[in-house]
Amino acid sequence: MALALALAGGGPLGAIYEIGTVMALSEALDGFDFNDLDAYVGVSAGGFIAAGLANGLSPAYMYRMFIDSESAEVPFEPEMLLKPAFGEYAQRAATVPALLLESLREYLRSPLRQDLAASFQRLSQAIPTGVFNNAGIKDFLTRLFSLPGLTNDFRQLKRQLFLIATDLDSGGSVAFGSKGYDHIPIATAVQASSALPGLFPPVEIDGHWFVDGALKKTLHASVALKEGAQLVICINPLVPFDARHASHEKHLRQRKLVDGGLPVVLAQTFRAIIHSRMETGLAKYDIQYKDADVILFEPSRDDADMFFTNMFSYSDRKRLSEQAYRKTREELLRRYDELAPKLARHGVSINRSVLADPCRSLTRRMAQLKRSRARSMGLTALRLSDTLDDLARAIKRLQPRQAA
């Protein structure tokens, strides 16, 4: 039975939420190995996680890389996403003299008939297409996938990986990793899939320009369903925030999102649009793929932490991933009667004993894994030391014979 995972975007914040959720699911779902699925679909930030899992990186490794960076072999620093796109600025600035000259010529041909503002409208072509440089995404993943046992080549993966981007000129979706698009390096595909318009410049690949894959759809779970997946677990980190419900549930004064200024207003608008579109898509899956089960996990709409968290704070990252872990465990218990029969059809079961453990937490779990790794490394070092001692003794025994 084909099992698949579909991860939506959401920037570094979304990736942190997805890691916490995946950690909870990996412990509680027996028969659903996040490193041995039949297909992975990633959009934008979800592409980071999907590419890592498909490459064999464990959920715990992804946690160390994104959240507990100090202990990671190749740490991810969100600051790399905030480097100004100086190359884009310079390229656009270089076009200003020619655009200005052409605008003046057009206006002077018939100044009485031409509107001054309309004549100089072409100067808008000099506005940069992105504020920040997302080349750091490709550079980081290229280094990561050059480690032993990993690959930057879709064709060398043991599992199907699809990273979704939008062709800027046609508006159509492209699934990198599919036939005809599997020669593109995985790192480049992730960069293209996460090129959010206005924030990052479009990415050129084979003469085409690509932007964020979420422009067309939110999850693109249909890519896995078309490949024959019968169970697709979907994780969507972005939901519109319900300030009224949050204040009622927590007995707090209601927040007015407008007080947060333009960034908060745009964030709420973007979340509402893509979430509404996702709900429409999920409803269609029930009709088009009646023999398949699609299970969605996402934050609750009154989750203020998910909406307002500072993604660049290490403490906030750990707190948010812990919250995603805890909320997912609670959701599995709450939805047990609904989910258990669906999962059972595909050989997957929910381990209630794991969920019933009141002392289990993501922080404690990672500490246990860290101690286990340390003991393992210590044992390996001890065995190496013993081997070197044996080798030294053997060399000493041989030296007198050679002298004789």
Side-chain angles (χ1 to χ4, degrees), residues 11-22:
L13 195 66
I16 292 165
Y17 172 84
E18 288 176 340
I19 290 171
T21 301
V22 166

Side-chain angles (χ1 to χ4, degrees), residues 20-50:
T21 301
V22 166
M23 285 292 293
L25 294 175
S26 65
E27 292 178 3
L29 297 185
D30 294 334
F32 197 91
D33 185 343
F34 279 86
N35 290 124
D36 192 24
L37 304 177
D38 298 287
Y40 299 81
V41 181
V43 182
S44 193
F48 271 85
I49 311 303

